[in-house]
Coordinates of all heavy atoms in Angstrom, one line a residue:
M28 N 3.2 27.3 2.0 CA 3.4 26.4 3.0 C 3.2 25.0 2.5 O 2.3 24.7 1.7 CB 2.3 26.6 4.1 CG 2.3 25.7 5.2 SD 1.1 26.3 6.5 CE 1.0 24.8 7.4
K29 N 4.2 24.1 2.8 CA 4.2 22.7 2.3 C 3.3 21.9 3.1 O 3.1 22.0 4.3 CB 5.6 22.2 2.3 CG 6.5 22.8 1.3 CD 7.8 22.1 1.2 CE 8.6 22.8 0.1 NZ 9.9 22.2 -0.1
K30 N 2.7 20.9 2.4 CA 1.7 20.0 3.1 C 2.5 18.6 3.1 O 3.2 18.3 2.2 CB 0.5 19.9 2.2 CG -0.6 19.0 2.8 CD -1.8 19.0 1.9 CE -2.8 18.0 2.3 NZ -3.9 17.9 1.4
I31 N 2.2 17.8 4.1 CA 2.8 16.5 4.3 C 1.8 15.4 3.9 O 0.6 15.5 4.3 CB 3.4 16.2 5.7 CG1 4.5 17.2 5.9 CG2 3.7 14.8 5.9 CD1 5.2 17.0 7.2
Q32 N 2.2 14.5 3.1 CA 1.4 13.3 2.7 C 2.1 12.1 3.2 O 3.3 12.0 3.2 CB 1.1 13.2 1.2 CG 0.3 14.3 0.7 CD 0.1 14.1 -0.8 OE1 0.9 13.6 -1.5 NE2 -1.1 14.5 -1.3
F33 N 1.3 11.1 3.6 CA 1.8 9.8 4.0 C 1.4 8.8 2.8 O 0.3 8.7 2.5 CB 1.2 9.4 5.3 CG 1.5 10.3 6.4 CD1 0.7 11.4 6.7 CD2 2.7 10.2 7.1 CE1 1.1 12.3 7.7 CE2 3.1 11.1 8.1 CZ 2.3 12.1 8.4
I34 N 2.4 8.1 2.3 CA 2.3 7.4 1.1 C 2.4 5.9 1.4 O 3.3 5.4 2.1 CB 3.4 7.7 0.1 CG1 3.5 9.2 -0.2 CG2 3.2 6.9 -1.2 CD1 2.3 9.8 -0.7
V35 N 1.4 5.1 0.9 CA 1.4 3.7 1.0 C 1.6 3.1 -0.4 O 0.8 3.5 -1.3 CB 0.1 3.1 1.6 CG1 0.1 1.6 1.6 CG2 -0.1 3.7 3.0
T36 N 2.6 2.3 -0.6 CA 2.8 1.6 -1.9 C 2.2 0.2 -1.9 O 2.4 -0.6 -1.0 CB 4.3 1.5 -2.2 OG1 4.9 2.8 -2.1 CG2 4.6 0.9 -3.5
T37 N 1.3 0.0 -2.9 CA 0.7 -1.3 -3.0 C 1.3 -2.0 -4.2 O 1.7 -1.4 -5.2 CB -0.8 -1.3 -3.2 OG1 -1.1 -0.4 -4.3 CG2 -1.5 -0.8 -1.9
I38 N 1.4 -3.3 -4.1 CA 2.0 -4.2 -5.2 C 0.9 -5.2 -5.6 O 0.4 -5.9 -4.7 CB 3.2 -4.9 -4.7 CG1 4.3 -3.9 -4.2 CG2 3.8 -5.8 -5.8 CD1 5.4 -4.6 -3.4
E39 N 0.6 -5.2 -6.9 CA -0.3 -6.1 -7.4 C 0.5 -7.1 -8.2 O 1.3 -6.7 -9.1 CB -1.4 -5.4 -8.3 CG -2.4 -6.4 -8.8 CD -3.4 -5.7 -9.7 OE1 -3.4 -4.4 -9.8 OE2 -4.3 -6.4 -10.3
S40 N 0.3 -8.4 -8.0 CA 1.1 -9.4 -8.7 C 0.1 -10.5 -9.3 O -0.8 -10.9 -8.6 CB 2.0 -10.1 -7.7 OG 2.8 -11.0 -8.4
E41 N 0.4 -10.8 -10.5 CA -0.4 -11.8 -11.2 C 0.5 -12.8 -12.0 O 1.4 -12.3 -12.7 CB -1.5 -11.2 -12.1 CG -2.4 -12.2 -12.7 CD -3.6 -11.6 -13.4 OE1 -3.7 -10.4 -13.5 OE2 -4.5 -12.4 -13.9
A42 N 0.3 -14.1 -11.8 CA 1.1 -15.1 -12.5 C 1.0 -14.8 -14.0 O 0.0 -14.6 -14.6 CB 0.6 -16.5 -12.2
G43 N 2.2 -14.8 -14.6 CA 2.3 -14.6 -16.1 C 2.2 -13.1 -16.5 O 2.5 -12.8 -17.6
W44 N 1.9 -12.2 -15.6 CA 1.8 -10.8 -15.9 C 2.8 -9.9 -15.2 O 3.0 -8.8 -15.5 CB 0.4 -10.3 -15.7 CG -0.6 -10.8 -16.6 CD1 -1.4 -12.0 -16.4 CD2 -1.0 -10.3 -17.9 NE1 -2.2 -12.2 -17.5 CE2 -2.0 -11.2 -18.4 CE3 -0.6 -9.2 -18.6 CZ2 -2.5 -11.0 -19.6 CZ3 -1.2 -9.1 -19.9 CH2 -2.1 -9.9 -20.4
G45 N 3.4 -10.5 -14.1 CA 4.3 -9.7 -13.4 C 3.7 -8.8 -12.3 O 2.6 -9.1 -11.8
R46 N 4.4 -7.8 -11.9 CA 4.0 -6.9 -10.8 C 3.7 -5.5 -11.3 O 4.3 -5.0 -12.3 CB 5.1 -6.8 -9.8 CG 5.3 -8.0 -9.0 CD 6.3 -7.8 -7.9 NE 6.4 -8.9 -7.0 CZ 7.1 -8.9 -5.9 NH1 7.9 -7.9 -5.6 NH2 7.1 -9.9 -5.1
S47 N 2.8 -4.8 -10.6 CA 2.6 -3.4 -10.8 C 2.6 -2.7 -9.5 O 2.2 -3.3 -8.5 CB 1.3 -3.1 -11.6 OG 0.2 -3.5 -10.9
Y48 N 3.1 -1.5 -9.4 CA 3.1 -0.7 -8.2 C 2.2 0.5 -8.3 O 2.1 1.1 -9.3 CB 4.6 -0.2 -8.0 CG 5.5 -1.4 -7.8 CD1 6.1 -2.1 -8.8 CD2 5.9 -1.8 -6.5 CE1 7.0 -3.1 -8.7 CE2 6.8 -2.9 -6.3 CZ 7.3 -3.5 -7.4 OH 8.2 -4.6 -7.2
D49 N 1.6 0.9 -7.2 CA 0.7 2.0 -7.1 C 0.9 2.7 -5.8 O 1.2 2.0 -4.8 CB -0.7 1.6 -7.3 CG -1.7 2.8 -7.4 OD1 -1.3 3.8 -8.1 OD2 -2.8 2.7 -7.0
E50 N 0.8 4.0 -5.7 CA 1.0 4.8 -4.5 C -0.4 5.4 -4.2 O -1.0 6.0 -5.1 CB 2.0 5.8 -4.6 CG 3.4 5.2 -4.7 CD 4.5 6.3 -4.7 OE1 4.2 7.5 -5.0 OE2 5.7 6.0 -4.4
S51 N -0.7 5.4 -2.9 CA -1.9 6.1 -2.4 C -1.5 7.1 -1.3 O -0.7 6.7 -0.5 CB -2.9 5.1 -1.8 OG -3.4 4.2 -2.8
A52 N -2.0 8.3 -1.4 CA -1.5 9.4 -0.5 C -2.7 9.6 0.5 O -3.8 9.6 0.2 CB -1.2 10.6 -1.3
F53 N -2.2 9.9 1.8 CA -3.2 10.1 2.9 C -2.7 11.4 3.6 O -1.5 11.7 3.7 CB -3.2 8.9 3.8 CG -3.7 7.7 3.1 CD1 -2.9 6.8 2.5 CD2 -5.1 7.4 3.0 CE1 -3.3 5.7 1.8 CE2 -5.6 6.3 2.4 CZ -4.6 5.4 1.8
D54 N -3.7 12.1 4.2 CA -3.4 13.3 5.0 C -2.8 13.0 6.4 O -2.1 13.9 6.9 CB -4.6 14.2 5.1 CG -5.0 14.7 3.7 OD1 -4.2 14.9 2.8 OD2 -6.2 15.0 3.6
T55 N -3.2 11.8 6.9 CA -2.7 11.5 8.2 C -2.0 10.1 8.2 O -2.3 9.3 7.4 CB -3.8 11.5 9.3 OG1 -4.7 10.4 9.0 CG2 -4.6 12.8 9.3
Y56 N -1.1 10.0 9.2 CA -0.4 8.7 9.3 C -1.4 7.6 9.7 O -1.3 6.5 9.2 CB 0.7 8.9 10.4 CG 1.5 7.6 10.7 CD1 2.5 7.2 9.8 CD2 1.2 6.8 11.7 CE1 3.2 6.1 10.0 CE2 1.9 5.6 12.0 CZ 2.9 5.3 11.1 OH 3.6 4.1 11.3
E57 N -2.3 7.9 10.5 CA -3.3 6.9 11.0 C -4.1 6.4 9.8 O -4.4 5.2 9.8 CB -4.2 7.5 12.1 CG -3.5 7.8 13.4 CD -2.7 9.1 13.4 OE1 -2.8 9.9 12.4 OE2 -1.8 9.2 14.3
K58 N -4.5 7.2 8.9 CA -5.3 6.8 7.7 C -4.4 5.9 6.8 O -4.9 4.9 6.3 CB -5.8 8.0 7.0 CG -7.0 8.7 7.6 CD -7.5 9.8 6.8 CE -8.6 10.6 7.5 NZ -9.0 11.7 6.7
A59 N -3.2 6.2 6.7 CA -2.2 5.4 5.9 C -2.1 4.0 6.5 O -2.1 3.0 5.8 CB -0.9 6.1 5.8
V60 N -1.9 4.0 7.8 CA -1.8 2.7 8.5 C -3.0 1.9 8.4 O -3.0 0.7 8.1 CB -1.4 2.9 10.0 CG1 -1.5 1.6 10.8 CG2 0.0 3.5 10.2
E61 N -4.2 2.5 8.5 CA -5.5 1.8 8.4 C -5.6 1.2 7.0 O -6.0 0.0 6.9 CB -6.6 2.8 8.7 CG -8.0 2.2 8.6 CD -9.1 3.2 8.9 OE1 -8.8 4.2 9.5 OE2 -10.2 2.9 8.5
Y62 N -5.3 1.9 6.0 CA -5.4 1.4 4.6 C -4.4 0.3 4.4 O -4.8 -0.8 3.9 CB -5.1 2.6 3.6 CG -5.0 2.1 2.2 CD1 -6.2 1.9 1.5 CD2 -3.8 2.0 1.5 CE1 -6.2 1.4 0.2 CE2 -3.8 1.6 0.2 CZ -4.9 1.3 -0.5 OH -4.9 0.9 -1.8
R63 N -3.1 0.5 4.8 CA -2.1 -0.6 4.7 C -2.6 -1.9 5.4 O -2.5 -3.0 4.8 CB -0.8 -0.1 5.3 CG 0.3 -1.2 5.2 CD 1.4 -0.9 6.2 NE 0.9 -0.9 7.5 CZ 1.6 -0.4 8.6 NH1 2.8 0.2 8.4 NH2 1.2 -0.6 9.8
D64 N -3.0 -1.8 6.6 CA -3.4 -2.9 7.3 C -4.6 -3.6 6.7 O -4.8 -4.8 6.8 CB -3.6 -2.6 8.8 CG -2.3 -2.2 9.5 OD1 -1.2 -2.4 8.9 OD2 -2.4 -1.7 10.6
K65 N -5.6 -2.8 6.2 CA -6.8 -3.4 5.5 C -6.4 -4.2 4.3 O -6.8 -5.4 4.1 CB -7.7 -2.3 5.2 CG -9.0 -2.9 4.5 CD -10.0 -1.8 4.2 CE -11.2 -2.4 3.6 NZ -12.2 -1.3 3.2
I66 N -5.5 -3.7 3.5 CA -5.0 -4.4 2.3 C -4.4 -5.7 2.7 O -4.6 -6.8 2.2 CB -4.1 -3.5 1.4 CG1 -4.8 -2.3 0.8 CG2 -3.4 -4.4 0.4 CD1 -5.9 -2.7 -0.2
N67 N -3.5 -5.6 3.7 CA -2.7 -6.8 4.1 C -3.6 -7.8 4.8 O -3.2 -9.0 4.9 CB -1.5 -6.4 4.9 CG -0.5 -5.7 4.0 OD1 -0.5 -6.0 2.8 ND2 0.4 -5.0 4.5
S68 N -4.7 -7.4 5.4 CA -5.6 -8.4 6.1 C -6.2 -9.4 5.2 O -6.6 -10.5 5.7 CB -6.7 -7.6 6.9 OG -7.6 -7.1 6.0
Y69 N -6.3 -9.2 3.9 CA -6.8 -10.1 3.0 C -5.9 -11.2 2.6 O -6.3 -12.2 2.0 CB -7.3 -9.4 1.7 CG -8.3 -8.4 1.9 CD1 -8.1 -7.0 1.5 CD2 -9.6 -8.7 2.4 CE1 -9.0 -6.1 1.7 CE2 -10.5 -7.7 2.6 CZ -10.3 -6.4 2.3 OH -11.2 -5.4 2.5
N70 N -4.6 -11.1 3.0 CA -3.6 -12.1 2.6 C -3.4 -13.1 3.7 O -2.5 -13.1 4.5 CB -2.2 -11.4 2.4 CG -2.3 -10.4 1.2 OD1 -2.8 -10.8 0.1 ND2 -1.9 -9.2 1.4
T71 N -4.3 -14.1 3.7 CA -4.3 -15.1 4.8 C -3.9 -16.5 4.3 O -3.8 -17.4 5.0 CB -5.6 -15.2 5.5 OG1 -6.7 -15.5 4.5 CG2 -6.0 -13.9 6.2
A72 N -3.8 -16.7 2.9 CA -3.4 -18.0 2.4 C -2.0 -18.4 2.8 O -1.1 -17.5 2.9 CB -3.6 -17.9 0.9
K73 N -1.8 -19.7 2.9 CA -0.5 -20.2 3.3 C 0.4 -20.2 2.1 O 1.6 -20.3 2.2 CB -0.6 -21.5 3.9 CG -1.4 -21.5 5.2 CD -1.2 -22.7 6.0 CE -2.1 -22.7 7.2 NZ -1.7 -21.9 8.3
I74 N -0.1 -20.2 0.9 CA 0.7 -20.1 -0.3 C 0.2 -18.9 -1.2 O -0.9 -18.5 -1.0 CB 0.6 -21.4 -1.2 CG1 -0.9 -21.7 -1.6 CG2 1.1 -22.6 -0.5 CD1 -1.0 -22.7 -2.6
A75 N 1.1 -18.4 -2.0 CA 0.7 -17.2 -2.8 C -0.2 -17.7 -3.9 O 0.1 -18.6 -4.7 CB 2.0 -16.6 -3.4
P76 N -1.4 -17.0 -4.0 CA -2.3 -17.3 -5.1 C -1.8 -16.8 -6.4 O -0.8 -16.0 -6.5 CB -3.6 -16.6 -4.7 CG -3.1 -15.5 -3.7 CD -1.9 -16.0 -3.1
S77 N -2.5 -17.1 -7.5 CA -2.0 -16.6 -8.8 C -2.2 -15.1 -9.0 O -1.6 -14.4 -9.8 CB -2.8 -17.3 -9.9 OG -4.2 -17.0 -9.9
W78 N -3.1 -14.4 -8.2 CA -3.2 -13.0 -8.1 C -3.3 -12.6 -6.7 O -4.0 -13.2 -5.9 CB -4.5 -12.6 -8.9 CG -4.7 -11.1 -8.8 CD1 -4.3 -10.1 -9.6 CD2 -5.4 -10.3 -7.7 NE1 -4.6 -8.8 -9.2 CE2 -5.3 -9.0 -8.0 CE3 -6.0 -10.7 -6.5 CZ2 -5.8 -8.0 -7.2 CZ3 -6.6 -9.7 -5.7 CH2 -6.5 -8.3 -6.1
Y79 N -2.6 -11.5 -6.3 CA -2.7 -11.0 -5.0 C -2.3 -9.5 -5.0 O -1.6 -9.1 -5.9 CB -2.0 -11.8 -4.0 CG -0.5 -11.8 -4.2 CD1 0.4 -10.9 -3.5 CD2 0.1 -12.8 -5.0 CE1 1.7 -10.9 -3.7 CE2 1.5 -12.8 -5.1 CZ 2.3 -11.9 -4.5 OH 3.7 -11.9 -4.7
M80 N -2.6 -8.8 -3.9 CA -2.3 -7.4 -3.7 C -1.8 -7.3 -2.3 O -2.4 -7.8 -1.4 CB -3.4 -6.5 -4.0 CG -3.2 -5.1 -3.9 SD -4.7 -4.2 -4.2 CE -4.1 -3.0 -5.3
I81 N -0.6 -6.6 -2.1 CA -0.1 -6.4 -0.8 C 0.3 -4.9 -0.7 O 0.5 -4.3 -1.7 CB 1.1 -7.3 -0.4 CG1 2.3 -7.1 -1.4 CG2 0.7 -8.7 -0.4 CD1 3.5 -7.7 -1.0
A82 N 0.4 -4.4 0.5 CA 0.9 -3.1 0.8 C 2.2 -3.2 1.5 O 2.4 -4.0 2.5 CB -0.1 -2.3 1.6
E83 N 3.2 -2.4 1.1 CA 4.5 -2.4 1.8 C 4.3 -1.9 3.2 O 3.5 -1.1 3.5 CB 5.5 -1.5 1.0 CG 5.9 -2.1 -0.3 CD 6.9 -1.2 -1.0 OE1 7.2 -0.1 -0.6 OE2 7.5 -1.8 -2.0
R84 N 5.1 -2.5 4.1 CA 5.0 -2.1 5.5 C 5.5 -0.6 5.7 O 4.9 0.1 6.5 CB 5.9 -3.0 6.4 CG 5.5 -4.4 6.4 CD 4.2 -4.7 7.2 NE 4.2 -4.2 8.5 CZ 3.1 -4.0 9.2 NH1 1.9 -4.3 8.7 NH2 3.1 -3.5 10.4
E85 N 6.5 -0.2 5.0 CA 7.0 1.2 5.2 C 6.0 2.2 4.6 O 5.5 2.0 3.5 CB 8.3 1.3 4.4 CG 8.9 2.7 4.5 CD 10.1 2.9 3.6 OE1 10.4 2.0 2.8 OE2 10.7 4.0 3.7
I86 N 5.7 3.2 5.4 CA 4.9 4.3 5.0 C 5.9 5.5 4.8 O 6.6 5.9 5.7 CB 3.8 4.7 6.1 CG1 2.9 3.5 6.2 CG2 3.1 6.0 5.7 CD1 1.8 3.7 7.2
K87 N 5.8 6.0 3.5 CA 6.7 7.1 3.2 C 6.1 8.4 3.4 O 4.9 8.6 3.5 CB 7.1 7.0 1.7 CG 7.8 5.7 1.3 CD 7.9 5.6 -0.2 CE 8.4 4.2 -0.5 NZ 8.1 3.8 -1.9
V88 N 6.9 9.4 3.6 CA 6.5 10.8 3.9 C 6.9 11.7 2.7 O 8.1 11.6 2.3 CB 7.0 11.3 5.2 CG1 6.6 12.8 5.4 CG2 6.6 10.5 6.4
R89 N 6.0 12.5 2.2 CA 6.3 13.4 1.1 C 5.7 14.8 1.3 O 4.6 14.9 1.8 CB 5.7 12.8 -0.2 CG 5.8 13.6 -1.4 CD 5.4 13.0 -2.7 NE 4.2 12.2 -2.6 CZ 3.8 11.3 -3.5 NH1 4.4 11.2 -4.6 NH2 2.7 10.6 -3.3
E90 N 6.6 15.7 1.0 CA 6.1 17.1 1.1 C 5.6 17.5 -0.3 O 6.2 17.3 -1.3 CB 7.2 18.1 1.5 CG 7.6 17.9 3.0 CD 8.7 19.0 3.3 OE1 9.6 19.1 2.6 OE2 8.5 19.6 4.4
V91 N 4.4 18.2 -0.3 CA 3.9 18.7 -1.6 C 3.5 20.1 -1.5 O 3.4 20.7 -0.4 CB 2.6 17.9 -2.0 CG1 3.0 16.5 -2.4 CG2 1.6 17.9 -0.9

């Protein structure tokens, strides 16, 4: 029996170092949304700082 995971992709960006991507898997859609929204709640600056982390809005679905 296949299990479904909900995937949130986060992007970490630092001036001079570029970007890195990471995926976090969750058992429920609600947990994925909560994590995504928490990460994005820290981004309140009007300009991009030299280091920041954001979560993509799209939540992907994966069967494992």
Side-chain angles (χ1 to χ4, degrees):
M28 183 171 161
K29 292 188 178 183
K30 182 179 173 184
I31 293 185
Q32 291 182 327
F33 299 91
I34 309 300
V35 177
T36 302
T37 55
I38 303 166
E39 182 179 358
S40 182
E41 186 169 3
W44 290 91
R46 290 182 169 187
S47 64
Y48 296 83
D49 188 35
E50 291 185 341
S51 298
F53 299 89
D54 293 334
T55 67
Y56 179 80
E57 291 77 14
K58 287 180 183 178
V60 168
E61 182 180 338
Y62 175 76
R63 177 199 65 195
D64 293 347
K65 181 178 180 181
I66 293 294
N67 289 337
S68 73
Y69 299 119
N70 298 310
T71 58
K73 297 194 187 280
I74 59 170
S77 62
W78 177 90
Y79 63 92
M80 182 180 228
I81 59 170
E83 291 184 345
R84 294 291 306 159
E85 177 187 8
I86 295 175
K87 299 173 190 162
V88 177
R89 174 173 37 194
E90 287 185 314
V91 291

